[in-house]
């Protein structure tokens, strides 16, 4: 899941009422200052900075660097440690990519519209023949009970297979025709009025309808060149180009392009992913692709100026050749980005913490430079799995950046510790970068990178307070403040949030969990997915589209049928991982180097955890033989570590982070 500048806006998907966007965009109301509750001793206030996952390029930081005169090359080399720009391999650039637009649709309605002079008709090619639709006409595609599809246009109707190719002049440099996906709207926030819902329109490339692999529905994807795909990316304000942000837009174009190629390489043929028929999703699961009609000349120029440019790093090679890297990015940080193993689960050499002070400069007008979130004790306890009540909180682990990595809560069910990357979703925080927590007993903070007090106040702008529930508020401002601090101490006990006892309802229920399901089983499923790093979802007892997407990603990684539904096989995989929680904790408690020939309980624990993550070590016999060595090497390769087959400190940290239980303590 990627959280960028664009994700701060509400985006309706297919078959969502367009008016909901306009309503959601205005749900910011004035409320009592959060400090009032903290002063009364009845609540907890979390203070932090930034918006998003805090790893890789900071978009506001890139904007500040651009205004300071840095080039796009300098911006990208700063945020991606040790990476360098390069021309993409021509053979990779020559192949179109597939981007999913909709999944599991019983029917689709596509209207042909003019986007230029002399528009041409669109043709719908099926196994039973071809029909066409003129500009202004609508075609419908319906999945039939017999598994075939019917395409109906004013010119006729055909029944045939659900492999349907839709073409117009989308492969030319200047298309005259586009297709509108009816019932779908996307916010264009690059206009003077501040935001307008526009119909989902696709003019570049061609559309592909394919049968879903598990249901009697269809998926819709666009097949498109990568350069045309980047033109449709809406992740950074295009209007920054008019205020000194030209290099930031160019850096964004390179980041979008490099990320797309990296995903294409990793995911392979779209036919191998028949649940979406795609290599990329059009949402912030990957990148926010909006199709036609959103771009401005500043963005078009940025894409053209950087055409074919990607980022590479010595650690990322395929068949000995450098390939584009995953250029992650988010909206902003509090002034430093985080190492990837802190924001995600895996240490990646080019995703290291770097200075991001440009993101909080007054001139970039970052409303999330700092934020606060105040919660009542009851709301906080309800949001934290395993806690019946909360009486105190303390930061118990800090990043080198000066932000918290772990918070331990006292009360009924505690002491219990949570990673801040998980608290971001659990508590609906703007980012994982918590800088201080005000509690009834005092204020808990981290030292800065230099070991001193938190940064002093530098600027002040307007403050917005959003009331989320009685007693709960979120406030954003560009002010950074330093309170007098006292640090509370809460001694945590060791355990794993993924242990079976915390997933009892999920594991013991035989019910099929899918969209629309509700209850404690769903909440535990969402907690599991959150701990495994699949999505910053907020566990809420409701199985929605975001939960289904996270389930699909988990199934994809585990080699299961990908349908977004939790049945016996998916539940069995979850149980396998949960059963390995105790071995993972034992591994975390030792620093012994394990290598071929080693034997004993530690090797057996390693084999349990490798198997839980999908790396086959052979029998769990406590013998570090050739199959265990091969599994360790495969894991190291997947995590971009030194591939030597030895299980040492770096492999142990990466394994436990990937498992989602490293440094997680609870009572």
């Amino acid at each position: 899941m990627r959280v960028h500048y664009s994700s701060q806006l509400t985006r309706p998907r297919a078959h969502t009422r367009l008016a909901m966007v306009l309503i959601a965009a205005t749900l910011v109301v004035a409320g009592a200052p959060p400090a009032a509750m903290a002063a009364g001793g009845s609540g907890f206030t979390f203070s932090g900075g930034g918006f998003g996952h805090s790893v890789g390029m900071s978009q506001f930081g890139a904007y500040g660097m651009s205004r300071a005169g840095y080039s796009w090359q300098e911006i990208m080399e700063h945020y991606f440690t040790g990476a360098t720009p390069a021309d993409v391999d021509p053979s990779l650039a020559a192949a179109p990519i597939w981007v999913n637009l909709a999944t599991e649709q019983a029917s689709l309605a596509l209207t042909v519209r003019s986007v230029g002079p002399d528009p041409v008709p669109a043709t719908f090619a099926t196994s039973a023949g071809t029909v066409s639709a003129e500009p202004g006409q609508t075609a419908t595609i319906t999945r039939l009970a017999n598994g075939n599809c019917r395409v109906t246009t004013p010119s006729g109707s055909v029944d045939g297979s659900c492999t349907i190719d839709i073409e117009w002049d989308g492969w030319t440099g200047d298309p005259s025709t586009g297709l509108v996906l009816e019932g779908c709207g996307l916010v264009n926030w690059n206009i003077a009025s501040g935001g307008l819902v526009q119909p989902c329109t696709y003019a570049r490339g061609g559309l592909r309808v394919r049968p879903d692999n598990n249901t009697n529905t269809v998926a819709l994807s666009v097949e498109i060149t990568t350069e045309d795909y980047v033109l449709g990316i809406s992740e950074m304000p295009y209007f920054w180009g008019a205020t000194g942000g030209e290099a930031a837009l160019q850096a964004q174009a390179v980041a979008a392009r490099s990320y797309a190629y990296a995903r294409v390489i990793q995911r392979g043929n779209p036919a191998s992913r028949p649940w979406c028929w795609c290599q990329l999703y059009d949402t912030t699961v990957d990148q926010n692709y909006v199709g036609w009609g959103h771009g401005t000349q500043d963005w078009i120029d940025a894409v053209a100026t950087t055409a074919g440019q990607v980022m590479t790093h010595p650690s990322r090679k395929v068949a000995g050749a450098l390939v584009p890297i995953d250029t992650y990015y988010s909206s902003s940080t509090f002034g430093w980005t985080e190492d990837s193993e802190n924001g995600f689960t895996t240490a990646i050499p080019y995703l290291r913490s770097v200075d991001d002070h440009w993101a909080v400069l007054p001139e970039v007008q970052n409303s999330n430079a700092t934020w606060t979130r105040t919660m009542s004790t009851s709301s906080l306890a309800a949001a934290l799995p395993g806690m019946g009540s909360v009486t105190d909180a303390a930061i118990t682990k800090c990043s080198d950046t000066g932000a918290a990595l772990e918070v331990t809560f006292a009360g009924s069910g505690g002491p219990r510790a949570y990673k801040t990357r998980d608290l971001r979703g659990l508590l609906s925080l703007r980012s994982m970068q918590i800088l201080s927590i005000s509690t009834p007993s005092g204020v808990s903070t981290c030292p800065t990178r230099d070991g001193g007090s938190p940064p002093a106040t530098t600027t002040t702008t307007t403050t917005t307070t959003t009331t989320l529930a009685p007693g709960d508020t979120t406030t954003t401002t560009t002010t950074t403040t330093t309170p007098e601090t006292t640090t509370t101490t809460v001694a945590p006990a060791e355990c794993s949030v993924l242990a079976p006892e915390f997933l009892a309802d999920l594991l013991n229920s035989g019910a099929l969990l899918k969209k629309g399901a509700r209850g404690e089983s769903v909440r535990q499923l969402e907690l599991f997915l959150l701990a495994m790093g699949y999505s910053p979802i907020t566990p809420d007892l409701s199985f929605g589209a975001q939960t289904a997407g996270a389930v699909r990603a988990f199934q994809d990684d585990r080699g299961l049928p990908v349908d977004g539904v939790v049945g016996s096989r998916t539940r069995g995989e979850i149980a396998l991982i949960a059963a390995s929680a105790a071995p993972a904790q034992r591994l975390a408690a030792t620093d012994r180097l394990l290598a071929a020939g080693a034997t004993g309980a530690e090797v057996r624990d390693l084999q349990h955890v490798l198997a839980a993550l999908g790396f086959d070590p052979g029998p769990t016999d406590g013998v570090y033989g050739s199959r265990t060595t091969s599994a360790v090497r495969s894991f190291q390769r997947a995590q971009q570590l030194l591939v030597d087959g030895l299980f040492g400190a770096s492999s142990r940290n990466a394994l436990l982070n990937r498992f989602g239980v490293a440094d997680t303590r609870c009572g």
Side-chain angles (χ1 to χ4, degrees), residues 611-649:
L613 290 175
F615 299 93
D616 181 15
T620 52
D621 56 6
V623 177
Y624 203 122
S626 59
R627 291 181 66 179
T628 300
T629 300
S630 178
V632 170
R633 291 176 66 87
S634 295
F635 172 77
Q636 291 170 328
R637 189 174 297 109
Q639 301 302 302
Q640 301 182 24
L641 302 171
L642 174 65
V643 180
D644 57 10
L646 304 177
F647 189 71

Short mmCIF file of all heavy atoms in Angstrom, two decimals, residues 611-649:
data_model
loop_
_atom_site.label_atom_id
_atom_site.label_comp_id
_atom_site.label_asym_id
_atom_site.label_seq_id
_atom_site.Cartn_x
_atom_site.Cartn_y
_atom_site.Cartn_z
N ALA A 611 9.33 -22.00 6.86
CA ALA A 611 8.17 -22.67 6.25
C ALA A 611 6.94 -21.78 6.32
O ALA A 611 6.15 -21.72 5.37
CB ALA A 611 7.91 -24.00 6.95
N ALA A 612 6.76 -21.07 7.44
CA ALA A 612 5.61 -20.19 7.59
C ALA A 612 5.62 -19.07 6.57
O ALA A 612 4.57 -18.59 6.14
CB ALA A 612 5.56 -19.61 9.00
N LEU A 613 6.81 -18.65 6.16
CA LEU A 613 6.93 -17.57 5.18
C LEU A 613 6.96 -18.08 3.75
O LEU A 613 7.08 -17.30 2.81
CB LEU A 613 8.19 -16.74 5.46
CG LEU A 613 8.14 -15.88 6.72
CD1 LEU A 613 9.48 -15.21 6.95
CD2 LEU A 613 7.03 -14.84 6.62
N GLY A 614 6.86 -19.39 3.56
CA GLY A 614 6.78 -19.93 2.21
C GLY A 614 8.10 -20.37 1.62
O GLY A 614 8.17 -20.63 0.41
N PHE A 615 9.15 -20.45 2.43
CA PHE A 615 10.45 -20.91 1.95
C PHE A 615 10.68 -22.32 2.50
O PHE A 615 10.81 -22.51 3.71
CB PHE A 615 11.57 -19.96 2.41
CG PHE A 615 11.41 -18.56 1.90
CD1 PHE A 615 10.75 -17.61 2.65
CD2 PHE A 615 11.90 -18.20 0.64
CE1 PHE A 615 10.58 -16.31 2.17
CE2 PHE A 615 11.73 -16.91 0.17
CZ PHE A 615 11.07 -15.97 0.93
N ASP A 616 10.71 -23.31 1.64
CA ASP A 616 10.71 -24.71 2.03
C ASP A 616 12.07 -25.16 2.56
O ASP A 616 13.02 -25.30 1.78
CB ASP A 616 10.30 -25.58 0.85
CG ASP A 616 10.25 -27.05 1.19
OD1 ASP A 616 10.26 -27.38 2.39
OD2 ASP A 616 10.20 -27.88 0.25
N PRO A 617 12.18 -25.41 3.89
CA PRO A 617 13.47 -25.85 4.44
C PRO A 617 13.58 -27.36 4.56
O PRO A 617 14.53 -27.86 5.16
CB PRO A 617 13.46 -25.20 5.83
CG PRO A 617 12.02 -25.28 6.22
CD PRO A 617 11.20 -25.16 4.96
N GLY A 618 12.58 -28.08 4.03
CA GLY A 618 12.56 -29.52 4.24
C GLY A 618 11.92 -29.85 5.57
O GLY A 618 11.22 -29.02 6.17
N PRO A 619 12.16 -31.05 6.10
CA PRO A 619 11.56 -31.43 7.39
C PRO A 619 12.08 -30.57 8.52
O PRO A 619 13.24 -30.14 8.52
CB PRO A 619 11.98 -32.90 7.55
CG PRO A 619 13.22 -33.04 6.71
CD PRO A 619 13.01 -32.12 5.54
N THR A 620 11.21 -30.29 9.50
CA THR A 620 11.63 -29.50 10.67
C THR A 620 12.30 -30.46 11.67
O THR A 620 11.73 -30.81 12.71
CB THR A 620 10.42 -28.80 11.31
OG1 THR A 620 9.40 -29.78 11.57
CG2 THR A 620 9.87 -27.74 10.40
N ASP A 621 13.52 -30.85 11.32
CA ASP A 621 14.25 -31.87 12.08
C ASP A 621 15.41 -31.32 12.89
O ASP A 621 16.15 -32.07 13.53
CB ASP A 621 14.76 -32.97 11.14
CG ASP A 621 15.63 -32.40 10.01
OD1 ASP A 621 15.93 -31.19 10.03
OD2 ASP A 621 15.99 -33.18 9.11
N GLY A 622 15.58 -29.99 12.87
CA GLY A 622 16.67 -29.39 13.64
C GLY A 622 18.04 -29.59 13.03
O GLY A 622 19.05 -29.33 13.70
N VAL A 623 18.10 -29.98 11.76
CA VAL A 623 19.38 -30.18 11.08
C VAL A 623 19.51 -29.17 9.94
O VAL A 623 18.66 -29.12 9.05
CB VAL A 623 19.49 -31.62 10.51
CG1 VAL A 623 20.81 -31.78 9.75
CG2 VAL A 623 19.39 -32.64 11.63
N TYR A 624 20.56 -28.37 9.99
CA TYR A 624 20.79 -27.33 8.98
C TYR A 624 21.49 -27.99 7.78
O TYR A 624 22.70 -27.93 7.62
CB TYR A 624 21.67 -26.23 9.57
CG TYR A 624 21.59 -24.87 8.91
CD1 TYR A 624 21.22 -23.75 9.63
CD2 TYR A 624 21.91 -24.70 7.56
CE1 TYR A 624 21.17 -22.49 9.06
CE2 TYR A 624 21.85 -23.46 6.96
CZ TYR A 624 21.48 -22.34 7.72
OH TYR A 624 21.43 -21.11 7.14
N GLY A 625 20.66 -28.62 6.94
CA GLY A 625 21.19 -29.32 5.78
C GLY A 625 21.05 -28.51 4.51
O GLY A 625 20.84 -27.29 4.54
N SER A 626 21.13 -29.21 3.36
CA SER A 626 21.15 -28.52 2.07
C SER A 626 19.83 -27.82 1.78
O SER A 626 19.81 -26.73 1.21
CB SER A 626 21.48 -29.52 0.95
OG SER A 626 20.51 -30.57 0.91
N ARG A 627 18.70 -28.42 2.18
CA ARG A 627 17.41 -27.80 1.90
C ARG A 627 17.20 -26.56 2.76
O ARG A 627 16.64 -25.56 2.30
CB ARG A 627 16.28 -28.81 2.09
CG ARG A 627 16.27 -29.91 1.04
CD ARG A 627 15.13 -30.88 1.22
NE ARG A 627 13.84 -30.25 1.00
CZ ARG A 627 12.68 -30.90 1.08
NH1 ARG A 627 12.67 -32.21 1.38
NH2 ARG A 627 11.54 -30.28 0.86
N THR A 628 17.63 -26.61 4.01
CA THR A 628 17.54 -25.42 4.86
C THR A 628 18.45 -24.32 4.33
O THR A 628 18.06 -23.14 4.28
CB THR A 628 17.89 -25.76 6.31
OG1 THR A 628 16.99 -26.75 6.80
CG2 THR A 628 17.82 -24.52 7.20
N THR A 629 19.65 -24.70 3.90
CA THR A 629 20.56 -23.71 3.31
C THR A 629 19.93 -23.08 2.08
O THR A 629 19.99 -21.86 1.88
CB THR A 629 21.89 -24.38 2.92
OG1 THR A 629 22.50 -24.93 4.09
CG2 THR A 629 22.84 -23.38 2.28
N SER A 630 19.31 -23.91 1.24
CA SER A 630 18.66 -23.39 0.04
C SER A 630 17.52 -22.45 0.39
O SER A 630 17.33 -21.41 -0.26
CB SER A 630 18.14 -24.56 -0.81
OG SER A 630 17.46 -24.09 -1.95
N ALA A 631 16.73 -22.79 1.43
CA ALA A 631 15.63 -21.92 1.85
C ALA A 631 16.14 -20.58 2.36
O ALA A 631 15.57 -19.52 2.08
CB ALA A 631 14.80 -22.62 2.92
N VAL A 632 17.24 -20.62 3.14
CA VAL A 632 17.84 -19.37 3.64
C VAL A 632 18.33 -18.52 2.47
O VAL A 632 18.12 -17.30 2.43
CB VAL A 632 18.98 -19.67 4.63
CG1 VAL A 632 19.76 -18.39 4.96
CG2 VAL A 632 18.43 -20.28 5.90
N ARG A 633 18.97 -19.15 1.50
CA ARG A 633 19.46 -18.41 0.34
C ARG A 633 18.30 -17.79 -0.44
O ARG A 633 18.39 -16.64 -0.89
CB ARG A 633 20.28 -19.33 -0.57
CG ARG A 633 21.63 -19.77 0.03
CD ARG A 633 22.34 -20.76 -0.87
NE ARG A 633 22.73 -20.14 -2.12
CZ ARG A 633 23.87 -19.48 -2.33
NH1 ARG A 633 24.74 -19.35 -1.32
NH2 ARG A 633 24.15 -18.94 -3.48
N SER A 634 17.22 -18.54 -0.60
CA SER A 634 16.05 -18.00 -1.31
C SER A 634 15.47 -16.82 -0.56
O SER A 634 15.07 -15.81 -1.16
CB SER A 634 14.99 -19.09 -1.47
OG SER A 634 15.46 -20.13 -2.30
N PHE A 635 15.41 -16.93 0.76
CA PHE A 635 14.91 -15.81 1.56
C PHE A 635 15.82 -14.60 1.42
O PHE A 635 15.36 -13.47 1.25
CB PHE A 635 14.80 -16.22 3.03
CG PHE A 635 14.48 -15.07 3.93
CD1 PHE A 635 13.18 -14.58 4.01
CD2 PHE A 635 15.47 -14.45 4.68
CE1 PHE A 635 12.88 -13.50 4.82
CE2 PHE A 635 15.17 -13.36 5.50
CZ PHE A 635 13.88 -12.90 5.56
N GLN A 636 17.12 -14.82 1.51
CA GLN A 636 18.06 -13.70 1.38
C GLN A 636 17.94 -13.03 0.02
O GLN A 636 17.98 -11.80 -0.09
CB GLN A 636 19.50 -14.22 1.59
CG GLN A 636 19.81 -14.64 3.01
CD GLN A 636 21.14 -15.37 3.13
OE1 GLN A 636 21.56 -16.07 2.20
NE2 GLN A 636 21.79 -15.23 4.28
N ARG A 637 17.76 -13.82 -1.01
CA ARG A 637 17.61 -13.27 -2.35
C ARG A 637 16.34 -12.43 -2.45
O ARG A 637 16.34 -11.33 -3.02
CB ARG A 637 17.59 -14.40 -3.38
CG ARG A 637 17.67 -13.94 -4.83
CD ARG A 637 17.78 -15.13 -5.77
NE ARG A 637 19.00 -15.90 -5.55
CZ ARG A 637 19.04 -17.11 -5.01
NH1 ARG A 637 17.91 -17.72 -4.63
NH2 ARG A 637 20.18 -17.74 -4.83
N ALA A 638 15.25 -12.93 -1.88
CA ALA A 638 13.99 -12.21 -1.92
C ALA A 638 14.05 -10.91 -1.14
O ALA A 638 13.39 -9.93 -1.49
CB ALA A 638 12.86 -13.09 -1.37
N GLN A 639 14.88 -10.87 -0.08
CA GLN A 639 14.99 -9.68 0.75
C GLN A 639 16.15 -8.77 0.33
O GLN A 639 16.45 -7.80 1.01
CB GLN A 639 15.17 -10.09 2.21
CG GLN A 639 14.03 -10.93 2.75
CD GLN A 639 12.70 -10.22 2.65
OE1 GLN A 639 12.53 -9.13 3.19
NE2 GLN A 639 11.75 -10.83 1.95
N GLN A 640 16.80 -9.13 -0.79
CA GLN A 640 17.91 -8.33 -1.31
C GLN A 640 19.05 -8.22 -0.30
O GLN A 640 19.67 -7.16 -0.12
CB GLN A 640 17.42 -6.95 -1.76
CG GLN A 640 16.35 -7.02 -2.83
CD GLN A 640 15.89 -5.65 -3.31
OE1 GLN A 640 16.62 -4.68 -3.21
NE2 GLN A 640 14.69 -5.59 -3.85
N LEU A 641 19.35 -9.34 0.38
CA LEU A 641 20.47 -9.43 1.30
C LEU A 641 21.63 -10.13 0.62
O LEU A 641 21.50 -10.67 -0.48
CB LEU A 641 20.06 -10.22 2.55
CG LEU A 641 18.87 -9.68 3.36
CD1 LEU A 641 18.48 -10.70 4.43
CD2 LEU A 641 19.22 -8.34 3.99
N LEU A 642 22.79 -10.15 1.28
CA LEU A 642 23.91 -10.94 0.81
C LEU A 642 23.49 -12.41 0.81
O LEU A 642 23.06 -12.94 1.84
CB LEU A 642 25.12 -10.75 1.71
CG LEU A 642 26.34 -11.65 1.41
CD1 LEU A 642 26.92 -11.30 0.05
CD2 LEU A 642 27.38 -11.50 2.52
N VAL A 643 23.59 -13.06 -0.34
CA VAL A 643 23.14 -14.44 -0.47
C VAL A 643 24.32 -15.37 -0.18
O VAL A 643 25.17 -15.61 -1.04
CB VAL A 643 22.55 -14.71 -1.87
CG1 VAL A 643 22.10 -16.17 -1.99
CG2 VAL A 643 21.40 -13.76 -2.16
N ASP A 644 24.37 -15.89 1.07
CA ASP A 644 25.47 -16.77 1.44
C ASP A 644 25.00 -18.03 2.16
O ASP A 644 25.81 -18.89 2.51
CB ASP A 644 26.49 -16.03 2.31
CG ASP A 644 25.87 -15.43 3.58
OD1 ASP A 644 24.70 -15.75 3.87
OD2 ASP A 644 26.56 -14.65 4.26
N GLY A 645 23.69 -18.14 2.41
CA GLY A 645 23.18 -19.33 3.07
C GLY A 645 23.44 -19.38 4.56
O GLY A 645 23.10 -20.38 5.21
N LEU A 646 24.03 -18.33 5.13
CA LEU A 646 24.31 -18.26 6.56
C LEU A 646 23.22 -17.46 7.25
O LEU A 646 22.82 -16.38 6.76
CB LEU A 646 25.67 -17.61 6.82
CG LEU A 646 26.88 -18.24 6.14
CD1 LEU A 646 28.13 -17.43 6.44
CD2 LEU A 646 27.06 -19.69 6.57
N PHE A 647 22.73 -17.94 8.38
CA PHE A 647 21.69 -17.23 9.11
C PHE A 647 22.33 -16.46 10.26
O PHE A 647 22.53 -16.97 11.36
CB PHE A 647 20.63 -18.20 9.63
CG PHE A 647 19.42 -17.51 10.20
CD1 PHE A 647 18.52 -16.88 9.36
CD2 PHE A 647 19.19 -17.49 11.56
CE1 PHE A 647 17.39 -16.24 9.88
CE2 PHE A 647 18.08 -16.85 12.09
CZ PHE A 647 17.18 -16.23 11.24
N GLY A 648 22.68 -15.19 9.94
CA GLY A 648 23.31 -14.32 10.92
C GLY A 648 22.41 -13.16 11.29
O GLY A 648 21.19 -13.20 11.10
N ALA A 649 23.00 -12.08 11.77
CA ALA A 649 22.23 -10.96 12.31
C ALA A 649 21.33 -10.31 11.26
O ALA A 649 20.15 -10.06 11.51
CB ALA A 649 23.18 -9.92 12.90
#
